[in-house]
Amino acid sequence: MNSFGARLDDAWEWWAAAIEEAQEGRWVRDAVERHVVADIMAATNALHGGRLAPFTQDSWHVRLGRIANWAGVLRLAARAGGWELQPVVGRSPKDPAGMVELLSGIYAIGEQGEIWMTQLLREGRMPPEKEIAQAEGFLTGPGSMEDLELFFYDS
């Protein structure tokens, strides 16, 4: 499996572990966690006008920037809450999963956006369209990170 495919699969695994804990009532977010999730959602508004991913009408720079923005937002969110982001590729999330696992899973995709943006700016190398579309689908649209708050029942 290519490195992005592994990253995407593992990101979903970490995200799903945290969401399952929340939906089963084993992880109930505290006030700080609820505020951080709300801030993440406000800061990562994709401004896509209701279009569904992939955003092929947008330039490469806009598409990669939209993905990469998540990385910076999640680093700030982790610092604000005192959490340490963990590498997810090739690793299983801790049990019980919670905010660290949730943020780390999402961060893996934002970090990939930063890698792609660097490659585009330094080398003129564009990632495969399929991978960009998969990252966009992970972050935006129905059932994605864009709907993150809907996955919690503790609000």
Short mmCIF file of all heavy atoms in Angstrom, two decimals, residues 36-100:
data_model
loop_
_atom_site.label_atom_id
_atom_site.label_comp_id
_atom_site.label_asym_id
_atom_site.label_seq_id
_atom_site.Cartn_x
_atom_site.Cartn_y
_atom_site.Cartn_z
N VAL A 36 -12.70 23.22 22.09
CA VAL A 36 -11.65 23.01 21.09
C VAL A 36 -12.24 22.46 19.80
O VAL A 36 -11.89 22.92 18.70
CB VAL A 36 -10.54 22.09 21.65
CG1 VAL A 36 -9.64 21.56 20.55
CG2 VAL A 36 -9.72 22.83 22.70
N VAL A 37 -13.14 21.50 19.88
CA VAL A 37 -13.78 20.97 18.67
C VAL A 37 -14.55 22.08 17.96
O VAL A 37 -14.47 22.21 16.73
CB VAL A 37 -14.68 19.75 18.99
CG1 VAL A 37 -15.54 19.38 17.78
CG2 VAL A 37 -13.83 18.56 19.41
N ALA A 38 -15.26 22.89 18.69
CA ALA A 38 -15.99 24.01 18.07
C ALA A 38 -15.02 24.97 17.38
O ALA A 38 -15.29 25.45 16.27
CB ALA A 38 -16.82 24.74 19.11
N ASP A 39 -13.90 25.25 18.02
CA ASP A 39 -12.90 26.15 17.42
C ASP A 39 -12.28 25.53 16.17
O ASP A 39 -12.03 26.23 15.18
CB ASP A 39 -11.81 26.51 18.43
CG ASP A 39 -12.31 27.46 19.51
OD1 ASP A 39 -13.37 28.09 19.33
OD2 ASP A 39 -11.61 27.57 20.54
N ILE A 40 -12.02 24.23 16.21
CA ILE A 40 -11.47 23.56 15.02
C ILE A 40 -12.44 23.70 13.87
O ILE A 40 -12.05 24.02 12.74
CB ILE A 40 -11.19 22.07 15.32
CG1 ILE A 40 -10.00 21.93 16.26
CG2 ILE A 40 -10.94 21.30 14.02
CD1 ILE A 40 -9.82 20.51 16.81
N MET A 41 -13.71 23.47 14.13
CA MET A 41 -14.70 23.54 13.05
C MET A 41 -14.80 24.96 12.49
O MET A 41 -14.93 25.15 11.29
CB MET A 41 -16.06 23.05 13.55
CG MET A 41 -16.06 21.61 14.08
SD MET A 41 -15.00 20.43 13.22
CE MET A 41 -15.66 20.47 11.59
N ALA A 42 -14.71 25.96 13.36
CA ALA A 42 -14.77 27.35 12.88
C ALA A 42 -13.53 27.70 12.07
O ALA A 42 -13.62 28.39 11.04
CB ALA A 42 -14.90 28.30 14.07
N ALA A 43 -12.38 27.23 12.50
CA ALA A 43 -11.11 27.59 11.84
C ALA A 43 -10.88 26.84 10.54
O ALA A 43 -10.07 27.28 9.71
CB ALA A 43 -9.95 27.34 12.79
N THR A 44 -11.55 25.72 10.35
CA THR A 44 -11.30 24.92 9.15
C THR A 44 -12.45 24.97 8.15
O THR A 44 -12.55 24.10 7.28
CB THR A 44 -11.02 23.46 9.53
OG1 THR A 44 -12.12 22.96 10.28
CG2 THR A 44 -9.73 23.32 10.31
N ASN A 45 -13.29 25.97 8.26
CA ASN A 45 -14.39 26.12 7.31
C ASN A 45 -13.83 26.08 5.90
O ASN A 45 -13.02 26.92 5.51
CB ASN A 45 -15.13 27.43 7.57
CG ASN A 45 -16.33 27.59 6.69
OD1 ASN A 45 -16.45 26.98 5.64
ND2 ASN A 45 -17.25 28.42 7.13
N ALA A 46 -14.25 25.08 5.14
CA ALA A 46 -13.67 24.87 3.80
C ALA A 46 -14.11 25.90 2.78
O ALA A 46 -13.52 25.98 1.70
CB ALA A 46 -14.05 23.48 3.31
N LEU A 47 -15.13 26.69 3.09
CA LEU A 47 -15.62 27.72 2.17
C LEU A 47 -15.84 27.15 0.76
O LEU A 47 -15.42 27.73 -0.23
CB LEU A 47 -14.65 28.91 2.14
CG LEU A 47 -14.40 29.58 3.49
CD1 LEU A 47 -13.31 30.64 3.35
CD2 LEU A 47 -15.67 30.18 4.05
N HIS A 48 -16.49 26.01 0.71
CA HIS A 48 -16.71 25.35 -0.57
C HIS A 48 -18.08 25.64 -1.17
O HIS A 48 -18.41 25.14 -2.24
CB HIS A 48 -16.51 23.84 -0.44
CG HIS A 48 -17.30 23.22 0.67
ND1 HIS A 48 -18.68 23.23 0.71
CD2 HIS A 48 -16.91 22.57 1.78
CE1 HIS A 48 -19.09 22.61 1.81
NE2 HIS A 48 -18.03 22.21 2.47
N GLY A 49 -18.86 26.45 -0.48
CA GLY A 49 -20.16 26.85 -1.02
C GLY A 49 -21.14 25.71 -1.17
O GLY A 49 -22.03 25.76 -2.02
N GLY A 50 -20.97 24.66 -0.38
CA GLY A 50 -21.89 23.54 -0.47
C GLY A 50 -21.52 22.50 -1.51
O GLY A 50 -22.20 21.49 -1.65
N ARG A 51 -20.46 22.76 -2.27
CA ARG A 51 -20.01 21.76 -3.26
C ARG A 51 -19.45 20.55 -2.52
O ARG A 51 -18.92 20.67 -1.43
CB ARG A 51 -18.90 22.32 -4.15
CG ARG A 51 -19.33 23.47 -5.02
CD ARG A 51 -18.16 24.04 -5.80
NE ARG A 51 -17.23 24.69 -4.86
CZ ARG A 51 -15.91 24.71 -5.00
NH1 ARG A 51 -15.33 24.13 -6.02
NH2 ARG A 51 -15.16 25.34 -4.11
N LEU A 52 -19.58 19.40 -3.12
CA LEU A 52 -19.01 18.19 -2.54
C LEU A 52 -17.62 17.94 -3.10
O LEU A 52 -17.33 18.27 -4.26
CB LEU A 52 -19.91 16.99 -2.83
CG LEU A 52 -21.29 17.01 -2.18
CD1 LEU A 52 -22.09 15.79 -2.59
CD2 LEU A 52 -21.16 17.07 -0.66
N ALA A 53 -16.76 17.36 -2.26
CA ALA A 53 -15.42 16.98 -2.71
C ALA A 53 -15.55 15.88 -3.77
O ALA A 53 -16.50 15.12 -3.74
CB ALA A 53 -14.61 16.49 -1.52
N PRO A 54 -14.62 15.82 -4.70
CA PRO A 54 -13.40 16.61 -4.83
C PRO A 54 -13.67 17.97 -5.47
O PRO A 54 -14.57 18.11 -6.30
CB PRO A 54 -12.51 15.75 -5.72
CG PRO A 54 -13.45 14.97 -6.59
CD PRO A 54 -14.67 14.73 -5.72
N PHE A 55 -12.85 18.92 -5.10
CA PHE A 55 -13.02 20.30 -5.56
C PHE A 55 -12.17 20.56 -6.80
O PHE A 55 -11.30 21.43 -6.81
CB PHE A 55 -12.67 21.26 -4.42
CG PHE A 55 -13.49 21.00 -3.18
CD1 PHE A 55 -12.89 20.53 -2.03
CD2 PHE A 55 -14.86 21.20 -3.19
CE1 PHE A 55 -13.65 20.29 -0.89
CE2 PHE A 55 -15.62 20.95 -2.05
CZ PHE A 55 -15.01 20.49 -0.91
N THR A 56 -12.45 19.83 -7.85
CA THR A 56 -11.62 19.89 -9.06
C THR A 56 -11.69 21.24 -9.77
O THR A 56 -10.82 21.54 -10.58
CB THR A 56 -12.01 18.76 -10.04
OG1 THR A 56 -13.42 18.87 -10.31
CG2 THR A 56 -11.71 17.40 -9.45
N GLN A 57 -12.69 22.07 -9.43
CA GLN A 57 -12.79 23.39 -10.05
C GLN A 57 -11.76 24.36 -9.46
O GLN A 57 -11.49 25.41 -10.03
CB GLN A 57 -14.18 24.00 -9.87
CG GLN A 57 -15.34 23.11 -10.14
CD GLN A 57 -15.78 22.31 -8.91
OE1 GLN A 57 -14.97 21.78 -8.15
NE2 GLN A 57 -17.08 22.19 -8.73
N ASP A 58 -11.25 24.04 -8.28
CA ASP A 58 -10.31 24.92 -7.58
C ASP A 58 -8.88 24.63 -8.02
O ASP A 58 -8.56 23.51 -8.46
CB ASP A 58 -10.41 24.73 -6.07
CG ASP A 58 -11.78 25.12 -5.53
OD1 ASP A 58 -12.49 25.90 -6.20
OD2 ASP A 58 -12.13 24.65 -4.43
N SER A 59 -8.01 25.61 -7.87
CA SER A 59 -6.60 25.42 -8.24
C SER A 59 -5.94 24.45 -7.27
O SER A 59 -6.42 24.22 -6.16
CB SER A 59 -5.86 26.77 -8.20
OG SER A 59 -5.65 27.16 -6.85
N TRP A 60 -4.81 23.89 -7.70
CA TRP A 60 -4.04 22.99 -6.84
C TRP A 60 -3.67 23.67 -5.53
O TRP A 60 -3.74 23.07 -4.47
CB TRP A 60 -2.78 22.51 -7.55
CG TRP A 60 -3.03 21.45 -8.56
CD1 TRP A 60 -3.09 21.60 -9.92
CD2 TRP A 60 -3.28 20.05 -8.31
NE1 TRP A 60 -3.37 20.40 -10.52
CE2 TRP A 60 -3.47 19.43 -9.56
CE3 TRP A 60 -3.35 19.30 -7.15
CZ2 TRP A 60 -3.73 18.07 -9.67
CZ3 TRP A 60 -3.60 17.94 -7.27
CH2 TRP A 60 -3.79 17.35 -8.52
N HIS A 61 -3.26 24.92 -5.62
CA HIS A 61 -2.84 25.65 -4.42
C HIS A 61 -3.98 25.78 -3.42
O HIS A 61 -3.78 25.61 -2.22
CB HIS A 61 -2.29 27.04 -4.79
CG HIS A 61 -0.97 26.97 -5.47
ND1 HIS A 61 -0.85 26.83 -6.83
CD2 HIS A 61 0.29 27.01 -4.97
CE1 HIS A 61 0.42 26.79 -7.15
NE2 HIS A 61 1.14 26.89 -6.05
N VAL A 62 -5.16 26.07 -3.90
CA VAL A 62 -6.33 26.20 -3.02
C VAL A 62 -6.67 24.84 -2.42
O VAL A 62 -6.91 24.73 -1.21
CB VAL A 62 -7.53 26.79 -3.78
CG1 VAL A 62 -8.81 26.68 -2.96
CG2 VAL A 62 -7.26 28.25 -4.14
N ARG A 63 -6.67 23.82 -3.24
CA ARG A 63 -7.03 22.49 -2.75
C ARG A 63 -6.03 22.00 -1.70
O ARG A 63 -6.43 21.50 -0.64
CB ARG A 63 -7.10 21.51 -3.91
CG ARG A 63 -8.26 21.81 -4.86
CD ARG A 63 -8.29 20.87 -6.02
NE ARG A 63 -8.81 19.57 -5.60
CZ ARG A 63 -8.81 18.51 -6.39
NH1 ARG A 63 -8.31 18.57 -7.61
NH2 ARG A 63 -9.31 17.35 -5.95
N LEU A 64 -4.76 22.13 -1.98
CA LEU A 64 -3.74 21.68 -1.03
C LEU A 64 -3.74 22.57 0.21
O LEU A 64 -3.57 22.08 1.33
CB LEU A 64 -2.37 21.66 -1.68
CG LEU A 64 -2.18 20.64 -2.80
CD1 LEU A 64 -0.77 20.73 -3.37
CD2 LEU A 64 -2.49 19.24 -2.33
N GLY A 65 -3.93 23.86 0.02
CA GLY A 65 -3.98 24.78 1.15
C GLY A 65 -5.13 24.47 2.09
O GLY A 65 -4.99 24.53 3.31
N ARG A 66 -6.27 24.10 1.52
CA ARG A 66 -7.45 23.76 2.32
C ARG A 66 -7.15 22.54 3.21
O ARG A 66 -7.54 22.50 4.36
CB ARG A 66 -8.62 23.46 1.38
CG ARG A 66 -9.95 23.29 2.06
CD ARG A 66 -11.05 22.99 1.05
NE ARG A 66 -11.49 24.18 0.36
CZ ARG A 66 -11.60 24.30 -0.98
NH1 ARG A 66 -11.31 23.29 -1.76
NH2 ARG A 66 -12.03 25.42 -1.51
N ILE A 67 -6.43 21.57 2.66
CA ILE A 67 -6.06 20.37 3.42
C ILE A 67 -4.99 20.72 4.45
O ILE A 67 -5.09 20.36 5.62
CB ILE A 67 -5.58 19.25 2.47
CG1 ILE A 67 -6.70 18.82 1.54
CG2 ILE A 67 -5.03 18.06 3.27
CD1 ILE A 67 -6.25 17.99 0.34
N ALA A 68 -3.96 21.43 4.01
CA ALA A 68 -2.83 21.76 4.89
C ALA A 68 -3.25 22.63 6.06
O ALA A 68 -2.66 22.54 7.15
CB ALA A 68 -1.72 22.44 4.09
N ASN A 69 -4.24 23.48 5.88
CA ASN A 69 -4.69 24.35 6.97
C ASN A 69 -5.10 23.56 8.21
O ASN A 69 -4.96 24.03 9.33
CB ASN A 69 -5.86 25.23 6.52
CG ASN A 69 -5.40 26.39 5.68
OD1 ASN A 69 -4.22 26.73 5.64
ND2 ASN A 69 -6.33 26.98 4.96
N TRP A 70 -5.62 22.36 7.99
CA TRP A 70 -6.02 21.54 9.12
C TRP A 70 -4.84 21.24 10.04
O TRP A 70 -5.01 21.16 11.26
CB TRP A 70 -6.63 20.23 8.64
CG TRP A 70 -8.05 20.36 8.18
CD1 TRP A 70 -8.48 20.82 6.97
CD2 TRP A 70 -9.22 20.03 8.92
NE1 TRP A 70 -9.86 20.79 6.92
CE2 TRP A 70 -10.33 20.31 8.10
CE3 TRP A 70 -9.43 19.52 10.20
CZ2 TRP A 70 -11.64 20.08 8.53
CZ3 TRP A 70 -10.73 19.30 10.61
CH2 TRP A 70 -11.82 19.58 9.78
N ALA A 71 -3.65 21.05 9.48
CA ALA A 71 -2.49 20.70 10.31
C ALA A 71 -2.18 21.80 11.31
O ALA A 71 -2.01 21.53 12.51
CB ALA A 71 -1.28 20.41 9.43
N GLY A 72 -2.11 23.03 10.85
CA GLY A 72 -1.82 24.15 11.75
C GLY A 72 -2.90 24.33 12.80
O GLY A 72 -2.60 24.56 13.98
N VAL A 73 -4.14 24.20 12.40
CA VAL A 73 -5.25 24.34 13.35
C VAL A 73 -5.17 23.25 14.41
O VAL A 73 -5.36 23.52 15.60
CB VAL A 73 -6.60 24.30 12.60
CG1 VAL A 73 -7.76 24.15 13.57
CG2 VAL A 73 -6.77 25.54 11.74
N LEU A 74 -4.87 22.04 14.01
CA LEU A 74 -4.81 20.95 14.97
C LEU A 74 -3.59 21.05 15.89
O LEU A 74 -3.68 20.69 17.07
CB LEU A 74 -4.84 19.61 14.25
CG LEU A 74 -6.23 19.33 13.66
CD1 LEU A 74 -6.18 18.24 12.62
CD2 LEU A 74 -7.22 18.99 14.74
N ARG A 75 -2.48 21.56 15.40
CA ARG A 75 -1.33 21.80 16.29
C ARG A 75 -1.69 22.82 17.35
O ARG A 75 -1.39 22.66 18.53
CB ARG A 75 -0.11 22.25 15.49
CG ARG A 75 0.59 21.11 14.74
CD ARG A 75 1.93 21.53 14.19
NE ARG A 75 1.84 22.59 13.21
CZ ARG A 75 1.73 22.39 11.89
NH1 ARG A 75 1.72 21.17 11.39
NH2 ARG A 75 1.67 23.41 11.07
N LEU A 76 -2.36 23.90 16.93
CA LEU A 76 -2.79 24.92 17.90
C LEU A 76 -3.80 24.35 18.89
O LEU A 76 -3.74 24.63 20.09
CB LEU A 76 -3.39 26.12 17.17
CG LEU A 76 -2.41 26.99 16.40
CD1 LEU A 76 -3.16 28.01 15.55
CD2 LEU A 76 -1.45 27.67 17.35
N ALA A 77 -4.73 23.55 18.39
CA ALA A 77 -5.75 22.95 19.26
C ALA A 77 -5.09 22.03 20.29
O ALA A 77 -5.45 22.06 21.48
CB ALA A 77 -6.76 22.16 18.43
N ALA A 78 -4.13 21.24 19.86
CA ALA A 78 -3.44 20.34 20.78
C ALA A 78 -2.68 21.13 21.84
O ALA A 78 -2.74 20.79 23.03
CB ALA A 78 -2.49 19.42 20.01
N ARG A 79 -2.02 22.18 21.44
CA ARG A 79 -1.31 23.02 22.42
C ARG A 79 -2.28 23.66 23.40
O ARG A 79 -2.02 23.71 24.60
CB ARG A 79 -0.50 24.11 21.70
CG ARG A 79 0.75 23.60 21.07
CD ARG A 79 1.60 24.73 20.50
NE ARG A 79 2.49 24.16 19.51
CZ ARG A 79 2.50 24.47 18.23
NH1 ARG A 79 1.70 25.39 17.76
NH2 ARG A 79 3.33 23.88 17.40
N ALA A 80 -3.40 24.14 22.89
CA ALA A 80 -4.39 24.81 23.74
C ALA A 80 -4.93 23.86 24.81
O ALA A 80 -5.19 24.27 25.93
CB ALA A 80 -5.54 25.36 22.89
N GLY A 81 -5.11 22.61 24.45
CA GLY A 81 -5.66 21.65 25.39
C GLY A 81 -4.62 20.88 26.17
O GLY A 81 -4.96 20.06 27.03
N GLY A 82 -3.34 21.09 25.85
CA GLY A 82 -2.28 20.36 26.54
C GLY A 82 -2.14 18.92 26.08
O GLY A 82 -1.59 18.08 26.79
N TRP A 83 -2.61 18.62 24.87
CA TRP A 83 -2.50 17.27 24.32
C TRP A 83 -1.29 17.18 23.41
O TRP A 83 -0.90 18.16 22.78
CB TRP A 83 -3.76 16.91 23.53
CG TRP A 83 -5.01 17.03 24.30
CD1 TRP A 83 -5.41 16.27 25.36
CD2 TRP A 83 -6.05 18.00 24.10
NE1 TRP A 83 -6.62 16.69 25.83
CE2 TRP A 83 -7.05 17.76 25.07
CE3 TRP A 83 -6.24 19.03 23.20
CZ2 TRP A 83 -8.20 18.51 25.16
CZ3 TRP A 83 -7.40 19.78 23.28
CH2 TRP A 83 -8.36 19.52 24.25
N GLU A 84 -0.73 16.00 23.28
CA GLU A 84 0.41 15.79 22.39
C GLU A 84 -0.04 14.91 21.22
O GLU A 84 -0.46 13.76 21.42
CB GLU A 84 1.56 15.11 23.15
CG GLU A 84 2.81 14.99 22.32
CD GLU A 84 3.98 14.46 23.12
OE1 GLU A 84 4.01 14.65 24.35
OE2 GLU A 84 4.86 13.83 22.50
N LEU A 85 0.05 15.47 20.01
CA LEU A 85 -0.32 14.72 18.82
C LEU A 85 0.61 13.52 18.66
O LEU A 85 1.81 13.62 18.93
CB LEU A 85 -0.25 15.61 17.58
CG LEU A 85 -1.24 16.77 17.56
CD1 LEU A 85 -0.92 17.72 16.42
CD2 LEU A 85 -2.66 16.26 17.45
N GLN A 86 0.05 12.41 18.20
CA GLN A 86 0.81 11.18 18.04
C GLN A 86 0.87 10.79 16.56
O GLN A 86 -0.10 11.00 15.82
CB GLN A 86 0.12 10.04 18.81
CG GLN A 86 -0.04 10.31 20.28
CD GLN A 86 1.29 10.36 20.99
OE1 GLN A 86 2.11 9.47 20.85
NE2 GLN A 86 1.51 11.43 21.74
N PRO A 87 1.98 10.19 16.13
CA PRO A 87 2.01 9.65 14.77
C PRO A 87 1.05 8.46 14.68
O PRO A 87 0.97 7.66 15.62
CB PRO A 87 3.46 9.21 14.57
CG PRO A 87 4.05 9.12 15.93
CD PRO A 87 3.23 9.98 16.84
N VAL A 88 0.31 8.37 13.60
CA VAL A 88 -0.69 7.32 13.49
C VAL A 88 -0.30 6.20 12.54
O VAL A 88 -0.80 5.09 12.66
CB VAL A 88 -2.08 7.89 13.09
CG1 VAL A 88 -2.53 8.96 14.06
CG2 VAL A 88 -2.10 8.40 11.67
N VAL A 89 0.56 6.47 11.58
CA VAL A 89 0.88 5.49 10.55
C VAL A 89 1.57 4.28 11.17
O VAL A 89 2.58 4.40 11.86
CB VAL A 89 1.74 6.10 9.43
CG1 VAL A 89 2.12 5.04 8.39
CG2 VAL A 89 1.00 7.26 8.76
N GLY A 90 0.97 3.13 10.94
CA GLY A 90 1.53 1.89 11.44
C GLY A 90 1.35 1.66 12.93
O GLY A 90 1.93 0.74 13.49
N ARG A 91 0.54 2.50 13.56
CA ARG A 91 0.33 2.38 15.00
C ARG A 91 -1.17 2.27 15.29
O ARG A 91 -1.98 2.84 14.58
CB ARG A 91 0.89 3.61 15.71
CG ARG A 91 2.39 3.76 15.51
CD ARG A 91 2.93 4.99 16.18
NE ARG A 91 2.79 4.85 17.63
CZ ARG A 91 2.76 5.87 18.47
NH1 ARG A 91 2.84 7.11 18.01
NH2 ARG A 91 2.63 5.69 19.75
N SER A 92 -1.49 1.59 16.36
CA SER A 92 -2.88 1.49 16.79
C SER A 92 -3.15 2.56 17.84
O SER A 92 -2.26 2.89 18.63
CB SER A 92 -3.15 0.11 17.40
OG SER A 92 -3.03 -0.88 16.41
N PRO A 93 -4.36 3.08 17.86
CA PRO A 93 -4.69 4.08 18.88
C PRO A 93 -4.72 3.44 20.26
O PRO A 93 -5.01 2.26 20.40
CB PRO A 93 -6.07 4.57 18.45
CG PRO A 93 -6.63 3.48 17.61
CD PRO A 93 -5.47 2.80 16.97
N LYS A 94 -4.43 4.26 21.28
CA LYS A 94 -4.52 3.78 22.66
C LYS A 94 -5.97 3.48 23.02
O LYS A 94 -6.89 4.07 22.46
CB LYS A 94 -3.95 4.83 23.61
CG LYS A 94 -2.45 4.89 23.62
CD LYS A 94 -1.82 5.86 24.58
CE LYS A 94 -2.66 6.41 25.66
NZ LYS A 94 -2.01 7.38 26.52
N ASP A 95 -6.13 2.58 23.94
CA ASP A 95 -7.45 2.24 24.43
C ASP A 95 -7.49 2.58 25.91
O ASP A 95 -6.63 2.11 26.66
CB ASP A 95 -7.70 0.75 24.22
CG ASP A 95 -9.12 0.33 24.54
OD1 ASP A 95 -10.01 1.20 24.53
OD2 ASP A 95 -9.32 -0.86 24.83
N PRO A 96 -8.36 3.41 26.38
CA PRO A 96 -9.46 4.02 25.64
C PRO A 96 -8.98 5.22 24.83
O PRO A 96 -8.04 5.91 25.21
CB PRO A 96 -10.41 4.46 26.74
CG PRO A 96 -9.53 4.74 27.92
CD PRO A 96 -8.40 3.76 27.81
N ALA A 97 -9.63 5.42 23.72
CA ALA A 97 -9.31 6.55 22.85
C ALA A 97 -10.07 7.78 23.32
O ALA A 97 -11.12 7.67 23.94
CB ALA A 97 -9.67 6.21 21.41
N GLY A 98 -9.52 8.94 22.98
CA GLY A 98 -10.15 10.19 23.36
C GLY A 98 -9.65 11.32 22.47
O GLY A 98 -9.41 11.13 21.28
N MET A 99 -9.46 12.47 23.06
CA MET A 99 -9.12 13.66 22.29
C MET A 99 -7.78 13.53 21.56
O MET A 99 -7.68 13.96 20.42
CB MET A 99 -9.12 14.88 23.23
CG MET A 99 -9.15 16.18 22.51
SD MET A 99 -10.72 16.40 21.64
CE MET A 99 -10.66 18.13 21.29
N VAL A 100 -6.78 12.96 22.19
CA VAL A 100 -5.48 12.80 21.53
C VAL A 100 -5.62 11.95 20.27
O VAL A 100 -5.08 12.29 19.21
CB VAL A 100 -4.43 12.18 22.48
CG1 VAL A 100 -3.17 11.75 21.74
CG2 VAL A 100 -4.08 13.16 23.59
#
